[in-house]
Amino acid sequence: MPDPLDLLVIGECVADIVRLPDGDVHVHPGGSPANVAHGLARLGHAVTLLTQLGPDDRGRLIRSHLTEAGVEVRTDGSAAPTPSAVVTLDREGRAAYAFEIAWTLAPVAPERPPHHVHTGSIATVTDPGAATVLAAVESLRTFATVSYDPNVRPALMGDHDAAVRRVEHCVALSDVVRASDEDLEWLYPGEEPETVARRWLGRGPAVVLVTRGGDGALAVLPGGRVTVDAFATDVVDTVGAGDAFMSGTLHALAAHGLLGPDGRERLRTADRSTVADVLRHAAACAAVTVARAGANPPDAAELRAALARDRSRRRDTPGPAVRHP
């Protein structure tokens, strides 16, 4: 059962306007932090999203989507239009993005102290709102664990060197970091993802996770590394896959008692078997999400079913799905 931790997600909501290869267009609620909050609520957690939503049809769509899942939505009262992203999918389900986004988040005090804070993506690199986000994280991390996902969007990152500095600052504030291999290639062209992950680990996090699409995921922690294969699934589209992975990560970390002020030190000494279990939960969440349209993460029952299917598959397939080199 999910723990009673209060989880706070700070970041943007975005209306994803998805253009399919056959010419059809669909509008889905999105935005990386909003997707993480939605995924956590679907898994049974108490989660608040601090964000901006415009008084428009897209804002109402997103708010309804989040609250129906159980997310408590708080805003700063801004009347700016709800941000949007045009997502063009190729015939393999890969997504390319074009954005219309303003991020001007003003300070909003939490109604109650959270046990864990998650942030990332556009919210941490787009001024003036990014300054509000970073100030909040710096204040809250004194009594809450922190997770971060840069979720790089090159068109919105601005000057490359400045973006790298900001990402590294966020990494240093965090206990758990996830990045895709594509994120790391943009930030550090030509470097091996594991090399970057190990360097980031030295900046302060307890664990750095690297997702590699169909090649699975890697966790780097002080005690070594753990890898997990991607779950077998038929890909419909990849929208929200990384966010579902992040939700699954936090869900499993919470179940192991590794979030919150009492979990920080345990997280730093987590063994590889525990991290492997976290990776399996995260990979299962991503697999369910990519098998259907839009950022549509699993609920707790769907996650259990995906894990059971994978256990059955691994019993029937020689060789380990999780490795501890």
Side-chain angles (χ1 to χ4, degrees):
M1 290 292 293
D3 60 90
L5 294 179
D6 281 322
L7 306 178
L8 174 65
V9 179
I10 309 175
E12 74 276 0
C13 292
V14 179
D16 288 336
I17 303 167
V18 181
R19 294 178 176 170
L20 302 176
D22 63 7
D24 283 352
V25 177
H26 302 279
V27 179
H28 298 286
S32 178
N35 290 341
V36 173
H38 181 253
L40 287 168
R42 294 264 294 165
L43 292 170
H45 294 273
V47 56
T48 298
L49 174 66
L50 175 56
T51 190
Q52 291 183 302
L53 282 172
D56 48 35
D57 288 345
R58 293 171 182 172
R60 286 185 283 273
L61 170 71
I62 294 172
R63 183 183 290 273
S64 176
H65 168 75
L66 291 167
T67 57
E68 286 177 3
V71 178
E72 180 182 339
V73 179
R74 298 195 68 205
T75 70
D76 65 353
S78 170
T82 300
S84 64
V86 176
V87 185
T88 303
L89 298 175
D90 65 17
R91 296 195 177 278
E92 282 72 47
R94 293 186 295 260
Y97 295 83
F99 297 93
E100 292 184 9
I101 289 177
W103 179 245
T104 60
L105 187 73
V108 178
E111 292 184 345
R112 55 190 178 273
H115 299 98
H116 181 82
V117 180
H118 174 75
T119 192
S121 192
I122 297 162
T124 58
V125 295
T126 302
D127 287 323
T132 300
V133 175
L134 295 178
V137 171
E138 288 174 348
S139 173
L140 295 171
R141 72 185 299 270
T142 60
F143 51 82
T145 43
V146 175
S147 55
Y148 169 63
D149 179 356
N151 195 44
V152 168
R153 298 292 178 244
L156 299 174
M157 298 298 286
D159 176 76
H160 182 271
D161 290 344
V164 170
R165 288 194 296 271
R166 180 160 286 183
V167 166
E168 290 178 346
H169 179 59
C170 292
V171 168
L173 293 174
S174 302
D175 300 286
V176 180
V177 177
R178 183 210 80 96
S180 71
D181 50 4
E182 293 178 348
D183 293 337
L184 299 181
E185 175 60 27
W186 187 86
L187 291 165
Y188 309 101
E191 288 199 54
E192 287 295 322
E194 185 172 346
T195 301
V196 176
R198 291 194 178 282
R199 188 164 69 245
W200 279 6
L201 193 72
R203 291 182 173 273
V207 60
V208 177
L209 310 175
V210 180
T211 51
R212 304 181 291 189
D215 292 327
L218 162 74
V220 175
L221 56 157
R225 67 195 292 269
V226 179
T227 62
V228 63
D229 293 340
F231 280 37
T233 191
D234 294 324
V235 176
V236 173
D237 73 49
T238 60
V239 176
D243 304 325
F245 187 97
M246 191 77 241
S247 296
T249 295
L250 297 178
H251 173 70
L253 288 173
H256 283 286
L258 300 178
L259 296 184
D262 296 332
R264 175 169 277 149
E265 290 308 313
R266 289 194 294 272
L267 178 61
R268 294 192 174 279
T269 57
D271 59 50
R272 288 185 287 180
S273 293
T274 298
V275 174
D277 183 66
V278 170
L279 284 177
R280 279 193 294 267
H281 280 74
C285 283
V288 172
T289 302
V290 301
R292 51 201 190 191
N296 186 3
D299 62 20
E302 290 172 323
L303 173 57
R304 288 193 296 270
L307 289 165
R309 287 193 299 271
D310 184 66
R311 284 194 295 270
S312 176
R313 179 187 64 83
R314 286 189 286 119
R315 281 196 298 268
D316 297 337
T317 303
V322 178
R323 296 179 292 277
H324 308 264

